[in-house]
Amino acid sequence: MIFVRAGVVGALVVAGLGSGVAFADDAAQSDGLEIQAPYEQAVVVAPGDGGAAQYRSMALGLQHYNSDFSVTDGRLTVDASGLAGVAEIAWPGNCVPDDAGTVAVCDTGDVPVRYSPQLQLKVRAAAGAAVGAQGAIEYSATATGGPDGTLTAPEYSAETFVTVGSGPDLGASAPQDVTGVAPGTDLTVPFSVTNTGNETAHGFSVKLWATYGLGVTTRYPQCTYTGPDDTDAQYPAMTYVTCSFDTDVAPGATVELPEPLRLAVTGHALYERFDYEVEPGGDVTDLDTSDNGRAWHIDADNTADFAVHGTEVSGAQGDTVAAGFRFVNRGPAWVADVASGDPVPAIDYYLPPGTTATSVPGTCRTGPASDVPHYVCTLPTWTRPDLKVDFPFRLRVDQVVPDARGRVVVRPYDGSASFAFDPRTRNNSAKVVVNPSA
């Protein structure tokens, strides 16, 4: 699903989609700036004939968290002084280096919420650097925007260790995210494998992950297919594919799969993600894994109708009554945050006056202090079509108040104003009434 350093894939599967219960009531008032840089970067040792080593590209950029804020004028400072004797950098046009050519301030422009590279450095091994030599690049960053007008990345939050090596280096082609795709559409994955190392890869393996709204329609005899299995209520169902191909990939060569890899965008698709990863065969270590995996985001032109249903109950003073509510996803789409793995909806429950909650569902917590007792409830990390979840609150009637009205509201967990995919907002709230009048 992923929200980790560039080059790490599978986070959708492993880390992103199980972050547990959390609350984001104050999310709209906060933001943060993050530097996206590979933790490790390999460069190929210079050839023994005295020629120069080949340059390798390294993607960098900035990202912020809260879509309610516009963040501009990103400035990324790249300090490559720690590469002396190990590697050298060719600076792109949007970087201004110092007189020594080792530290540069780079203009990254507008800062996105969903990361995409804004800066491409070129790095190569220094003449005479031996295999195994290592140095480090350090970063700092600022940008304009956020709640205070300026965002600064946490100090020492990112660095890249550059190592001189030798071997095959396979990389998967980078896709362009697509939006507005009609359910029922077939898509071709832009999948190719390039060896930018200095040794041949004798075969390669491929792993694929497809979220619940995507079907993997191409079937290769070299692959094993698993899923999707939608029986788990907590974690999203997905399709997982593992493959092994015996094609040699020589240095500088690009190869493709035996036939185009096709995906079906299903009728319940909405915010989808397709991850793929390639590795050299034969238990050979890849020279640089930062470009081995890719994540392709596919947004379908679809809707999901979130609704809540309240209740009406009666009780005398001192009685305990069942006064819960129900959440329903009327579909047709499933919904998950396939980037962060956080829940999509949060549900606010404001108690009717004259009552106290004596039994609270395990996925609900006390909300921020206010004049009205308030609980915030969350759902599993995905909401499949036709999902129905009951929240069985029990309330004690401390004082009989005729037509005592509580309120239930389903809202975005991330603090944004509304669900962009929900076509009906009137059913996003409901009443819980204790002792309704005739």
Side-chain angles (χ1 to χ4, degrees), residues 386-435:
D386 302 318
L387 175 69
K388 297 180 177 66
V389 180
D390 290 320
F391 292 84
F393 278 84
R394 294 185 65 82
L395 308 181
R396 185 181 65 240
V397 181
D398 299 319
Q399 179 184 357
V400 175
V401 178
D403 277 324
R405 295 192 178 190
R407 187 164 56 100
V408 181
V409 180
V410 59
R411 60 168 174 84
Y413 174 91
D414 65 5
S416 55
S418 61
F419 298 110
F421 53 80
D422 193 337
R424 299 178 62 204
T425 58
R426 293 184 62 183
N427 61 10
N428 290 169
S429 62
K431 300 173 183 176
V432 174
V433 183
V434 177
N435 289 315

mmCIF file of all heavy atoms in Angstrom, residues 386-435:
data_model
loop_
_atom_site.group_PDB
_atom_site.id
_atom_site.type_symbol
_atom_site.label_atom_id
_atom_site.label_comp_id
_atom_site.label_asym_id
_atom_site.label_seq_id
_atom_site.Cartn_x
_atom_site.Cartn_y
_atom_site.Cartn_z
ATOM 1 N N ASP A 386 -21.127 -3.387 0.877
ATOM 2 C CA ASP A 386 -22.154 -4.023 1.718
ATOM 3 C C ASP A 386 -21.676 -4.310 3.136
ATOM 4 O O ASP A 386 -22.312 -5.075 3.862
ATOM 5 C CB ASP A 386 -22.688 -5.320 1.068
ATOM 6 C CG ASP A 386 -23.271 -5.073 -0.314
ATOM 7 O OD1 ASP A 386 -23.975 -4.057 -0.471
ATOM 8 O OD2 ASP A 386 -23.021 -5.874 -1.222
ATOM 9 N N LEU A 387 -20.563 -3.706 3.541
ATOM 10 C CA LEU A 387 -20.106 -3.865 4.917
ATOM 11 C C LEU A 387 -21.117 -3.243 5.876
ATOM 12 O O LEU A 387 -21.577 -2.122 5.680
ATOM 13 C CB LEU A 387 -18.753 -3.179 5.099
ATOM 14 C CG LEU A 387 -18.185 -3.163 6.528
ATOM 15 C CD1 LEU A 387 -17.774 -4.567 6.949
ATOM 16 C CD2 LEU A 387 -17.013 -2.197 6.636
ATOM 17 N N LYS A 388 -21.476 -3.976 6.916
ATOM 18 C CA LYS A 388 -22.349 -3.490 7.975
ATOM 19 C C LYS A 388 -21.645 -3.731 9.305
ATOM 20 O O LYS A 388 -21.250 -4.856 9.605
ATOM 21 C CB LYS A 388 -23.701 -4.204 7.963
ATOM 22 C CG LYS A 388 -24.523 -3.989 6.696
ATOM 23 C CD LYS A 388 -25.840 -4.745 6.772
ATOM 24 C CE LYS A 388 -26.700 -4.492 5.542
ATOM 25 N NZ LYS A 388 -26.102 -5.048 4.315
ATOM 26 N N VAL A 389 -21.462 -2.678 10.085
ATOM 27 C CA VAL A 389 -20.792 -2.780 11.376
ATOM 28 C C VAL A 389 -21.673 -2.129 12.428
ATOM 29 O O VAL A 389 -22.047 -0.956 12.306
ATOM 30 C CB VAL A 389 -19.410 -2.107 11.366
ATOM 31 C CG1 VAL A 389 -18.750 -2.230 12.732
ATOM 32 C CG2 VAL A 389 -18.522 -2.721 10.292
ATOM 33 N N ASP A 390 -22.030 -2.898 13.465
ATOM 34 C CA ASP A 390 -22.812 -2.370 14.573
ATOM 35 C C ASP A 390 -21.892 -1.906 15.692
ATOM 36 O O ASP A 390 -20.891 -2.555 16.010
ATOM 37 C CB ASP A 390 -23.768 -3.437 15.106
ATOM 38 C CG ASP A 390 -24.890 -3.749 14.131
ATOM 39 O OD1 ASP A 390 -25.407 -2.804 13.522
ATOM 40 O OD2 ASP A 390 -25.236 -4.933 13.974
ATOM 41 N N PHE A 391 -22.247 -0.793 16.295
ATOM 42 C CA PHE A 391 -21.534 -0.237 17.442
ATOM 43 C C PHE A 391 -22.493 -0.243 18.634
ATOM 44 O O PHE A 391 -23.295 0.689 18.808
ATOM 45 C CB PHE A 391 -21.046 1.178 17.130
ATOM 46 C CG PHE A 391 -19.972 1.215 16.076
ATOM 47 C CD1 PHE A 391 -20.302 1.219 14.729
ATOM 48 C CD2 PHE A 391 -18.636 1.224 16.435
ATOM 49 C CE1 PHE A 391 -19.312 1.241 13.757
ATOM 50 C CE2 PHE A 391 -17.639 1.248 15.465
ATOM 51 C CZ PHE A 391 -17.981 1.249 14.124
ATOM 52 N N PRO A 392 -22.457 -1.295 19.461
ATOM 53 C CA PRO A 392 -23.491 -1.519 20.490
ATOM 54 C C PRO A 392 -23.234 -0.753 21.796
ATOM 55 O O PRO A 392 -22.873 -1.347 22.821
ATOM 56 C CB PRO A 392 -23.419 -3.028 20.689
ATOM 57 C CG PRO A 392 -21.989 -3.375 20.430
ATOM 58 C CD PRO A 392 -21.529 -2.442 19.346
ATOM 59 N N PHE A 393 -23.404 0.539 21.756
ATOM 60 C CA PHE A 393 -23.307 1.327 22.989
ATOM 61 C C PHE A 393 -24.474 0.977 23.929
ATOM 62 O O PHE A 393 -25.593 0.717 23.477
ATOM 63 C CB PHE A 393 -23.383 2.822 22.672
ATOM 64 C CG PHE A 393 -22.092 3.422 22.224
ATOM 65 C CD1 PHE A 393 -21.691 3.345 20.892
ATOM 66 C CD2 PHE A 393 -21.275 4.092 23.120
ATOM 67 C CE1 PHE A 393 -20.509 3.908 20.469
ATOM 68 C CE2 PHE A 393 -20.084 4.665 22.704
ATOM 69 C CZ PHE A 393 -19.696 4.576 21.376
ATOM 70 N N ARG A 394 -24.185 1.003 25.218
ATOM 71 C CA ARG A 394 -25.230 0.929 26.236
ATOM 72 C C ARG A 394 -25.144 2.180 27.104
ATOM 73 O O ARG A 394 -24.053 2.574 27.533
ATOM 74 C CB ARG A 394 -25.108 -0.340 27.078
ATOM 75 C CG ARG A 394 -25.360 -1.621 26.278
ATOM 76 C CD ARG A 394 -25.357 -2.858 27.153
ATOM 77 N NE ARG A 394 -26.460 -2.857 28.106
ATOM 78 C CZ ARG A 394 -27.703 -3.230 27.813
ATOM 79 N NH1 ARG A 394 -28.023 -3.609 26.578
ATOM 80 N NH2 ARG A 394 -28.652 -3.220 28.744
ATOM 81 N N LEU A 395 -26.308 2.805 27.327
ATOM 82 C CA LEU A 395 -26.372 4.070 28.041
ATOM 83 C C LEU A 395 -27.226 3.937 29.298
ATOM 84 O O LEU A 395 -28.275 3.285 29.290
ATOM 85 C CB LEU A 395 -26.975 5.164 27.146
ATOM 86 C CG LEU A 395 -26.363 5.369 25.757
ATOM 87 C CD1 LEU A 395 -27.074 6.514 25.045
ATOM 88 C CD2 LEU A 395 -24.866 5.636 25.846
ATOM 89 N N ARG A 396 -26.781 4.591 30.359
ATOM 90 C CA ARG A 396 -27.590 4.699 31.578
ATOM 91 C C ARG A 396 -28.384 6.013 31.524
ATOM 92 O O ARG A 396 -27.822 7.066 31.210
ATOM 93 C CB ARG A 396 -26.708 4.688 32.810
ATOM 94 C CG ARG A 396 -27.503 4.688 34.138
ATOM 95 C CD ARG A 396 -26.587 4.708 35.344
ATOM 96 N NE ARG A 396 -25.811 5.924 35.426
ATOM 97 C CZ ARG A 396 -24.478 5.975 35.405
ATOM 98 N NH1 ARG A 396 -23.772 4.854 35.312
ATOM 99 N NH2 ARG A 396 -23.838 7.141 35.470
ATOM 100 N N VAL A 397 -29.682 5.901 31.819
ATOM 101 C CA VAL A 397 -30.531 7.087 31.849
ATOM 102 C C VAL A 397 -30.393 7.734 33.229
ATOM 103 O O VAL A 397 -30.977 7.271 34.204
ATOM 104 C CB VAL A 397 -32.001 6.735 31.544
ATOM 105 C CG1 VAL A 397 -32.858 7.997 31.558
ATOM 106 C CG2 VAL A 397 -32.117 6.016 30.203
ATOM 107 N N ASP A 398 -29.608 8.789 33.307
ATOM 108 C CA ASP A 398 -29.410 9.502 34.575
ATOM 109 C C ASP A 398 -30.565 10.444 34.872
ATOM 110 O O ASP A 398 -30.909 10.692 36.030
ATOM 111 C CB ASP A 398 -28.107 10.308 34.525
ATOM 112 C CG ASP A 398 -26.895 9.416 34.319
ATOM 113 O OD1 ASP A 398 -26.844 8.335 34.936
ATOM 114 O OD2 ASP A 398 -26.013 9.796 33.534
ATOM 115 N N GLN A 399 -31.130 10.983 33.810
ATOM 116 C CA GLN A 399 -32.253 11.910 33.948
ATOM 117 C C GLN A 399 -33.155 11.728 32.741
ATOM 118 O O GLN A 399 -32.677 11.668 31.603
ATOM 119 C CB GLN A 399 -31.737 13.349 34.008
ATOM 120 C CG GLN A 399 -32.816 14.396 34.120
ATOM 121 C CD GLN A 399 -32.256 15.813 34.074
ATOM 122 O OE1 GLN A 399 -31.046 16.001 34.019
ATOM 123 N NE2 GLN A 399 -33.127 16.802 34.106
ATOM 124 N N VAL A 400 -34.440 11.623 32.972
ATOM 125 C CA VAL A 400 -35.379 11.466 31.865
ATOM 126 C C VAL A 400 -35.571 12.827 31.196
ATOM 127 O O VAL A 400 -36.111 13.766 31.799
ATOM 128 C CB VAL A 400 -36.726 10.896 32.337
ATOM 129 C CG1 VAL A 400 -37.723 10.871 31.180
ATOM 130 C CG2 VAL A 400 -36.533 9.495 32.902
ATOM 131 N N VAL A 401 -35.094 12.919 29.948
ATOM 132 C CA VAL A 401 -35.250 14.125 29.145
ATOM 133 C C VAL A 401 -36.071 13.744 27.927
ATOM 134 O O VAL A 401 -35.619 12.933 27.108
ATOM 135 C CB VAL A 401 -33.883 14.694 28.710
ATOM 136 C CG1 VAL A 401 -34.069 15.922 27.821
ATOM 137 C CG2 VAL A 401 -33.015 15.020 29.915
ATOM 138 N N PRO A 402 -37.286 14.259 27.808
ATOM 139 C CA PRO A 402 -38.095 13.911 26.628
ATOM 140 C C PRO A 402 -37.370 14.277 25.332
ATOM 141 O O PRO A 402 -36.763 15.350 25.226
ATOM 142 C CB PRO A 402 -39.368 14.745 26.815
ATOM 143 C CG PRO A 402 -39.441 15.013 28.272
ATOM 144 C CD PRO A 402 -38.028 15.139 28.738
ATOM 145 N N ASP A 403 -37.423 13.358 24.390
ATOM 146 C CA ASP A 403 -36.769 13.565 23.085
ATOM 147 C C ASP A 403 -35.288 13.919 23.235
ATOM 148 O O ASP A 403 -34.769 14.804 22.548
ATOM 149 C CB ASP A 403 -37.473 14.661 22.272
ATOM 150 C CG ASP A 403 -38.680 14.130 21.530
ATOM 151 O OD1 ASP A 403 -38.630 12.986 21.054
ATOM 152 O OD2 ASP A 403 -39.683 14.858 21.446
ATOM 153 N N ALA A 404 -34.606 13.214 24.132
ATOM 154 C CA ALA A 404 -33.169 13.446 24.302
ATOM 155 C C ALA A 404 -32.446 12.951 23.048
ATOM 156 O O ALA A 404 -32.441 11.753 22.759
ATOM 157 C CB ALA A 404 -32.659 12.728 25.540
ATOM 158 N N ARG A 405 -31.851 13.853 22.302
ATOM 159 C CA ARG A 405 -31.296 13.515 20.995
ATOM 160 C C ARG A 405 -29.776 13.546 21.000
ATOM 161 O O ARG A 405 -29.158 14.579 21.279
ATOM 162 C CB ARG A 405 -31.826 14.475 19.927
ATOM 163 C CG ARG A 405 -33.326 14.359 19.712
ATOM 164 C CD ARG A 405 -33.770 15.081 18.471
ATOM 165 N NE ARG A 405 -35.207 14.907 18.260
ATOM 166 C CZ ARG A 405 -35.853 15.257 17.158
ATOM 167 N NH1 ARG A 405 -35.183 15.807 16.168
ATOM 168 N NH2 ARG A 405 -37.153 15.061 17.058
ATOM 169 N N GLY A 406 -29.206 12.412 20.685
ATOM 170 C CA GLY A 406 -27.785 12.332 20.395
ATOM 171 C C GLY A 406 -27.583 12.342 18.896
ATOM 172 O O GLY A 406 -28.544 12.332 18.115
ATOM 173 N N ARG A 407 -26.332 12.312 18.478
ATOM 174 C CA ARG A 407 -26.031 12.436 17.051
ATOM 175 C C ARG A 407 -24.856 11.542 16.681
ATOM 176 O O ARG A 407 -23.884 11.430 17.433
ATOM 177 C CB ARG A 407 -25.711 13.893 16.734
ATOM 178 C CG ARG A 407 -25.531 14.216 15.259
ATOM 179 C CD ARG A 407 -25.625 15.730 15.053
ATOM 180 N NE ARG A 407 -24.666 16.440 15.878
ATOM 181 C CZ ARG A 407 -23.491 16.913 15.438
ATOM 182 N NH1 ARG A 407 -23.139 16.721 14.179
ATOM 183 N NH2 ARG A 407 -22.677 17.559 16.243
ATOM 184 N N VAL A 408 -24.954 10.921 15.513
ATOM 185 C CA VAL A 408 -23.891 10.102 14.950
ATOM 186 C C VAL A 408 -23.491 10.697 13.609
ATOM 187 O O VAL A 408 -24.366 10.972 12.775
ATOM 188 C CB VAL A 408 -24.333 8.640 14.764
ATOM 189 C CG1 VAL A 408 -23.193 7.803 14.193
ATOM 190 C CG2 VAL A 408 -24.836 8.054 16.063
ATOM 191 N N VAL A 409 -22.193 10.905 13.388
ATOM 192 C CA VAL A 409 -21.710 11.498 12.143
ATOM 193 C C VAL A 409 -20.512 10.701 11.647
ATOM 194 O O VAL A 409 -19.547 10.492 12.390
ATOM 195 C CB VAL A 409 -21.297 12.977 12.343
ATOM 196 C CG1 VAL A 409 -20.796 13.566 11.023
ATOM 197 C CG2 VAL A 409 -22.446 13.800 12.893
ATOM 198 N N VAL A 410 -20.560 10.240 10.396
ATOM 199 C CA VAL A 410 -19.401 9.595 9.784
ATOM 200 C C VAL A 410 -18.673 10.647 8.960
ATOM 201 O O VAL A 410 -19.284 11.407 8.208
ATOM 202 C CB VAL A 410 -19.804 8.378 8.926
ATOM 203 C CG1 VAL A 410 -20.762 8.742 7.805
ATOM 204 C CG2 VAL A 410 -18.556 7.703 8.348
ATOM 205 N N ARG A 411 -17.347 10.724 9.129
ATOM 206 C CA ARG A 411 -16.519 11.757 8.500
ATOM 207 C C ARG A 411 -15.180 11.151 8.112
ATOM 208 O O ARG A 411 -14.810 10.061 8.554
ATOM 209 C CB ARG A 411 -16.305 12.908 9.487
ATOM 210 C CG ARG A 411 -15.605 12.455 10.774
ATOM 211 C CD ARG A 411 -15.141 13.599 11.625
ATOM 212 N NE ARG A 411 -14.605 13.146 12.912
ATOM 213 C CZ ARG A 411 -13.370 12.727 13.106
ATOM 214 N NH1 ARG A 411 -12.515 12.662 12.098
ATOM 215 N NH2 ARG A 411 -12.971 12.354 14.319
ATOM 216 N N PRO A 412 -14.399 11.865 7.286
ATOM 217 C CA PRO A 412 -13.072 11.356 6.925
ATOM 218 C C PRO A 412 -12.139 11.289 8.125
ATOM 219 O O PRO A 412 -12.039 12.239 8.906
ATOM 220 C CB PRO A 412 -12.568 12.368 5.889
ATOM 221 C CG PRO A 412 -13.810 12.969 5.310
ATOM 222 C CD PRO A 412 -14.775 13.031 6.458
ATOM 223 N N TYR A 413 -11.467 10.176 8.268
ATOM 224 C CA TYR A 413 -10.506 9.967 9.352
ATOM 225 C C TYR A 413 -9.334 10.941 9.283
ATOM 226 O O TYR A 413 -8.785 11.348 10.304
ATOM 227 C CB TYR A 413 -10.004 8.531 9.276
ATOM 228 C CG TYR A 413 -8.896 8.155 10.229
ATOM 229 C CD1 TYR A 413 -9.170 7.638 11.481
ATOM 230 C CD2 TYR A 413 -7.553 8.294 9.861
ATOM 231 C CE1 TYR A 413 -8.154 7.269 12.355
ATOM 232 C CE2 TYR A 413 -6.534 7.932 10.729
ATOM 233 C CZ TYR A 413 -6.835 7.424 11.966
ATOM 234 O OH TYR A 413 -5.827 7.072 12.822
ATOM 235 N N ASP A 414 -8.959 11.327 8.056
ATOM 236 C CA ASP A 414 -7.760 12.155 7.891
ATOM 237 C C ASP A 414 -8.007 13.632 8.161
ATOM 238 O O ASP A 414 -7.104 14.452 8.009
ATOM 239 C CB ASP A 414 -7.169 11.967 6.492
ATOM 240 C CG ASP A 414 -8.084 12.462 5.376
ATOM 241 O OD1 ASP A 414 -9.153 13.043 5.674
ATOM 242 O OD2 ASP A 414 -7.730 12.262 4.190
ATOM 243 N N GLY A 415 -9.226 14.008 8.551
ATOM 244 C CA GLY A 415 -9.508 15.394 8.889
ATOM 245 C C GLY A 415 -9.976 16.256 7.745
ATOM 246 O O GLY A 415 -10.281 17.431 7.947
ATOM 247 N N SER A 416 -10.048 15.729 6.522
ATOM 248 C CA SER A 416 -10.543 16.528 5.402
ATOM 249 C C SER A 416 -12.043 16.761 5.535
ATOM 250 O O SER A 416 -12.726 16.139 6.354
ATOM 251 C CB SER A 416 -10.203 15.870 4.065
ATOM 252 O OG SER A 416 -10.682 14.544 4.021
ATOM 253 N N ALA A 417 -12.571 17.653 4.706
ATOM 254 C CA ALA A 417 -13.934 18.147 4.912
ATOM 255 C C ALA A 417 -15.007 17.122 4.569
ATOM 256 O O ALA A 417 -16.063 17.075 5.209
ATOM 257 C CB ALA A 417 -14.146 19.415 4.087
ATOM 258 N N SER A 418 -14.790 16.295 3.553
ATOM 259 C CA SER A 418 -15.841 15.375 3.105
ATOM 260 C C SER A 418 -15.213 14.228 2.327
ATOM 261 O O SER A 418 -14.033 14.268 1.964
ATOM 262 C CB SER A 418 -16.860 16.108 2.224
ATOM 263 O OG SER A 418 -16.229 16.643 1.068
ATOM 264 N N PHE A 419 -16.037 13.197 2.069
ATOM 265 C CA PHE A 419 -15.608 12.067 1.239
ATOM 266 C C PHE A 419 -15.842 12.427 -0.227
ATOM 267 O O PHE A 419 -16.989 12.604 -0.648
ATOM 268 C CB PHE A 419 -16.399 10.810 1.581
ATOM 269 C CG PHE A 419 -16.235 10.329 2.994
ATOM 270 C CD1 PHE A 419 -17.287 10.422 3.896
ATOM 271 C CD2 PHE A 419 -15.046 9.785 3.430
ATOM 272 C CE1 PHE A 419 -17.157 9.964 5.196
ATOM 273 C CE2 PHE A 419 -14.892 9.339 4.736
ATOM 274 C CZ PHE A 419 -15.952 9.425 5.614
ATOM 275 N N ALA A 420 -14.781 12.480 -1.012
ATOM 276 C CA ALA A 420 -14.926 12.839 -2.423
ATOM 277 C C ALA A 420 -15.712 11.795 -3.202
ATOM 278 O O ALA A 420 -16.321 12.110 -4.228
ATOM 279 C CB ALA A 420 -13.542 13.034 -3.052
ATOM 280 N N PHE A 421 -15.731 10.570 -2.721
ATOM 281 C CA PHE A 421 -16.357 9.459 -3.447
ATOM 282 C C PHE A 421 -17.809 9.224 -3.053
ATOM 283 O O PHE A 421 -18.483 8.387 -3.654
ATOM 284 C CB PHE A 421 -15.563 8.170 -3.201
ATOM 285 C CG PHE A 421 -15.364 7.872 -1.735
ATOM 286 C CD1 PHE A 421 -16.366 7.289 -0.977
ATOM 287 C CD2 PHE A 421 -14.162 8.192 -1.120
ATOM 288 C CE1 PHE A 421 -16.178 7.034 0.377
ATOM 289 C CE2 PHE A 421 -13.971 7.943 0.230
ATOM 290 C CZ PHE A 421 -14.974 7.367 0.976
ATOM 291 N N ASP A 422 -18.307 9.897 -2.014
ATOM 292 C CA ASP A 422 -19.642 9.607 -1.471
ATOM 293 C C ASP A 422 -20.683 10.476 -2.170
ATOM 294 O O ASP A 422 -20.664 11.708 -2.034
ATOM 295 C CB ASP A 422 -19.651 9.875 0.031
ATOM 296 C CG ASP A 422 -20.885 9.299 0.726
ATOM 297 O OD1 ASP A 422 -21.905 9.091 0.045
ATOM 298 O OD2 ASP A 422 -20.825 9.058 1.942
ATOM 299 N N PRO A 423 -21.625 9.864 -2.925
ATOM 300 C CA PRO A 423 -22.589 10.667 -3.689
ATOM 301 C C PRO A 423 -23.749 11.193 -2.849
ATOM 302 O O PRO A 423 -24.489 12.064 -3.298
ATOM 303 C CB PRO A 423 -23.096 9.676 -4.745
ATOM 304 C CG PRO A 423 -23.028 8.350 -4.050
ATOM 305 C CD PRO A 423 -21.807 8.419 -3.161
ATOM 306 N N ARG A 424 -23.932 10.675 -1.643
ATOM 307 C CA ARG A 424 -25.063 11.086 -0.798
ATOM 308 C C ARG A 424 -24.521 11.430 0.587
ATOM 309 O O ARG A 424 -24.038 10.557 1.299
ATOM 310 C CB ARG A 424 -26.108 9.972 -0.688
ATOM 311 C CG ARG A 424 -26.731 9.552 -2.015
ATOM 312 C CD ARG A 424 -27.705 8.416 -1.789
ATOM 313 N NE ARG A 424 -28.806 8.840 -0.926
ATOM 314 C CZ ARG A 424 -29.547 7.997 -0.192
ATOM 315 N NH1 ARG A 424 -29.281 6.712 -0.205
ATOM 316 N NH2 ARG A 424 -30.537 8.471 0.547
ATOM 317 N N THR A 425 -24.607 12.702 0.945
ATOM 318 C CA THR A 425 -24.073 13.125 2.239
ATOM 319 C C THR A 425 -25.148 13.210 3.322
ATOM 320 O O THR A 425 -24.815 13.242 4.506
ATOM 321 C CB THR A 425 -23.384 14.489 2.108
ATOM 322 O OG1 THR A 425 -24.327 15.450 1.605
ATOM 323 C CG2 THR A 425 -22.201 14.396 1.146
ATOM 324 N N ARG A 426 -26.421 13.227 2.941
ATOM 325 C CA ARG A 426 -27.475 13.369 3.949
ATOM 326 C C ARG A 426 -27.513 12.177 4.898
ATOM 327 O O ARG A 426 -27.868 12.321 6.056
ATOM 328 C CB ARG A 426 -28.835 13.550 3.276
ATOM 329 C CG ARG A 426 -28.976 14.862 2.514
ATOM 330 C CD ARG A 426 -30.360 15.044 1.952
ATOM 331 N NE ARG A 426 -31.374 15.112 2.993
ATOM 332 C CZ ARG A 426 -32.675 15.213 2.762
ATOM 333 N NH1 ARG A 426 -33.122 15.259 1.514
ATOM 334 N NH2 ARG A 426 -33.541 15.269 3.757
ATOM 335 N N ASN A 427 -27.145 10.991 4.398
ATOM 336 C CA ASN A 427 -27.169 9.812 5.266
ATOM 337 C C ASN A 427 -25.848 9.603 6.006
ATOM 338 O O ASN A 427 -25.617 8.549 6.586
ATOM 339 C CB ASN A 427 -27.553 8.554 4.473
ATOM 340 C CG ASN A 427 -26.580 8.232 3.342
ATOM 341 O OD1 ASN A 427 -25.513 8.828 3.232
ATOM 342 N ND2 ASN A 427 -26.966 7.289 2.493
ATOM 343 N N ASN A 428 -24.962 10.629 5.996
ATOM 344 C CA ASN A 428 -23.726 10.551 6.775
ATOM 345 C C ASN A 428 -23.938 10.886 8.244
ATOM 346 O O ASN A 428 -22.994 10.826 9.043
ATOM 347 C CB ASN A 428 -22.661 11.491 6.204
ATOM 348 C CG ASN A 428 -22.104 11.039 4.866
ATOM 349 O OD1 ASN A 428 -21.399 11.787 4.215
ATOM 350 N ND2 ASN A 428 -22.425 9.825 4.428
ATOM 351 N N SER A 429 -25.157 11.263 8.606
ATOM 352 C CA SER A 429 -25.479 11.536 10.001
ATOM 353 C C SER A 429 -26.827 10.923 10.343
ATOM 354 O O SER A 429 -27.661 10.678 9.463
ATOM 355 C CB SER A 429 -25.491 13.043 10.283
ATOM 356 O OG SER A 429 -26.489 13.689 9.519
ATOM 357 N N ALA A 430 -27.028 10.651 11.621
ATOM 358 C CA ALA A 430 -28.279 10.044 12.084
ATOM 359 C C ALA A 430 -28.500 10.433 13.546
ATOM 360 O O ALA A 430 -27.572 10.898 14.224
ATOM 361 C CB ALA A 430 -28.231 8.521 11.936
ATOM 362 N N LYS A 431 -29.707 10.239 14.030
ATOM 363 C CA LYS A 431 -30.059 10.565 15.402
ATOM 364 C C LYS A 431 -30.128 9.318 16.271
ATOM 365 O O LYS A 431 -30.515 8.243 15.807
ATOM 366 C CB LYS A 431 -31.426 11.268 15.458
ATOM 367 C CG LYS A 431 -31.493 12.579 14.686
ATOM 368 C CD LYS A 431 -32.923 13.105 14.666
ATOM 369 C CE LYS A 431 -33.027 14.386 13.830
ATOM 370 N NZ LYS A 431 -34.427 14.844 13.730
ATOM 371 N N VAL A 432 -29.715 9.477 17.508
ATOM 372 C CA VAL A 432 -29.954 8.475 18.555
ATOM 373 C C VAL A 432 -30.824 9.160 19.598
ATOM 374 O O VAL A 432 -30.391 10.122 20.247
ATOM 375 C CB VAL A 432 -28.652 7.960 19.165
ATOM 376 C CG1 VAL A 432 -28.934 7.034 20.347
ATOM 377 C CG2 VAL A 432 -27.803 7.245 18.116
ATOM 378 N N VAL A 433 -32.076 8.698 19.738
ATOM 379 C CA VAL A 433 -33.059 9.380 20.582
ATOM 380 C C VAL A 433 -33.420 8.482 21.762
ATOM 381 O O VAL A 433 -33.758 7.316 21.585
ATOM 382 C CB VAL A 433 -34.321 9.748 19.778
ATOM 383 C CG1 VAL A 433 -35.302 10.537 20.654
ATOM 384 C CG2 VAL A 433 -33.960 10.556 18.541
ATOM 385 N N VAL A 434 -33.344 9.050 22.952
ATOM 386 C CA VAL A 434 -33.778 8.363 24.154
ATOM 387 C C VAL A 434 -35.064 9.028 24.657
ATOM 388 O O VAL A 434 -35.119 10.254 24.771
ATOM 389 C CB VAL A 434 -32.682 8.400 25.252
ATOM 390 C CG1 VAL A 434 -33.198 7.737 26.533
ATOM 391 C CG2 VAL A 434 -31.434 7.688 24.755
ATOM 392 N N ASN A 435 -36.081 8.198 24.887
ATOM 393 C CA ASN A 435 -37.403 8.649 25.329
ATOM 394 C C ASN A 435 -38.034 9.616 24.331
ATOM 395 O O ASN A 435 -38.310 10.777 24.617
ATOM 396 C CB ASN A 435 -37.323 9.298 26.714
ATOM 397 C CG ASN A 435 -37.052 8.283 27.802
ATOM 398 O OD1 ASN A 435 -37.673 7.213 27.825
ATOM 399 N ND2 ASN A 435 -36.110 8.582 28.679
#
